[in-house]
Structure formats: C-alpha cells, structure tokens
C-alpha cells in the first residue's frame, strides 16, 4: 500500500456566516443563515470535490444529517495552490446552531480521501456574548 498523495491537512477550509434577516421569520421559529465556504488546496495535486456530508445541530441539540453530491450543483476541481469558494444557506428553528461535516474528494489519479469541515456557529446578531 502506498502513501497517500494528498494529506487532508493540506486542504484548508474557511467559513463566513451571515444571518439573513429578510428571509427569517422569528415569530415562526424560522431563522435563515448564509454560509460561504472557501476551500484552499495547498497540496501538489489537483483535487475534485465529489460529495458532502453535513451535521446540522440546533440550540435544542436536535441534529439533521445531509449527504449529497458536490456543492451547489457543482463538483469543482481545485487546482494546486488554488481556492474554490461557494455560498449556500441553512434554515434553523432556533436562533443559534452549528454545522460541521466533511467533503469527499479525489485526486486526478482517482485516490479518494475525506476532508473534515470544522464546526462553525450560526447565530443571529447579539445572541452570543
């Protein structure tokens, strides 16, 4: 068995979140958030994002798992020393929650590996101190 060509630690994931006030209805326990993910490939190999796995947790510790192909309808190839960014959204029934998960990726030679997505918080403004 050979060494892996891509170390998942060479893939950096950054997340920015935003509360979508105009799309939320707090009186109906509906809180909408946008998240923008940037994936940077610092490895020596182009990689392709094939699938995602999310664990979404609300303030009541209720969890929802989502598995799906690609992201926003794409299966992007991320070149060496390149960054791919996309935005999506999530609706919670509490004013605070979190998301974490993983991306299933492959190298151009077909080697599969997982990249963890660190937990990030979704919260309406001023709910956290």
């Amino acid at each position: 068995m050979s060494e892996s060509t891509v170390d998942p630690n060479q893939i950096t994931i950054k997340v920015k979140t935003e509360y979508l006030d105009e799309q939320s209805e707090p009186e109906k326990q509906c809180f909408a958030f946008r998240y923008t993910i940037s994936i940077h490939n610092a490895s020596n190999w182009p990689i392709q994002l094939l699938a995602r796995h999310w664990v979404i947790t609300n303030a009541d510790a209720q969890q929802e798992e989502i598995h799906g192909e690609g992201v926003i309808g794409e299966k992007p190839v991320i070149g060496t020393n390149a960054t791919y960014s996309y935005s999506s959204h999530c609706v919670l029934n509490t004013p605070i929650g979190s998301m974490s998960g993983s991306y299933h990726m492959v190298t151009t030679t077909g080697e599969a590996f997982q990249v963890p997505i660190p937990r990030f918080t979704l919260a309406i403004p001023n709910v956290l101190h």
Side-chain angles (χ1 to χ4, degrees):
M1 178 153 253
S2 63
E3 285 279 321
S4 175
T5 41
V6 175
D7 178 349
N9 293 322
Q10 295 175 308
I11 313 304
T12 306
I13 307 219
K14 293 185 180 175
V15 182
K16 291 182 182 177
T17 63
E18 176 186 5
Y19 176 61
L20 301 175
D21 188 44
E22 67 283 355
Q23 294 179 27
S24 297
E25 296 181 85
E27 66 282 356
K28 295 181 180 177
Q29 298 300 300
C30 178
F31 303 90
F33 300 90
R34 174 183 298 121
Y35 56 91
T36 300
I37 308 262
S38 294
I39 305 165
H40 181 74
N41 177 12
S43 77
N44 294 324
W45 306 94
I47 58 174
Q48 184 174 20
L49 192 162
L50 294 182
R52 69 191 182 284
H53 169 230
W54 287 112
V55 178
I56 303 168
T57 307
N58 72 10
D60 298 326
Q62 295 171 320
Q63 290 190 335
E64 176 184 5
E65 287 198 51
I66 297 173
H67 296 266
E69 288 191 11
V71 290
I72 62 167
E74 300 178 2
K75 292 181 181 176
V77 174
I78 308 167
T80 300
N81 204 29
T83 301
Y84 172 80
S85 297
Y86 73 96
S87 294
S88 191
H89 69 279
C90 175
V91 176
L92 298 176
N93 61 1
T94 58
I96 187 170
S98 67
M99 291 178 66
S100 63
S102 62
Y103 292 124
H104 176 73
M105 299 192 171
V106 293
T107 63
T108 51
T109 59
E111 177 187 328
F113 62 101
Q114 299 289 326
V115 175
I117 305 167
R119 181 176 309 280
F120 58 92
T121 300
L122 301 167
I124 63 172
N126 304 315
V127 75
L128 294 175
H129 299 284

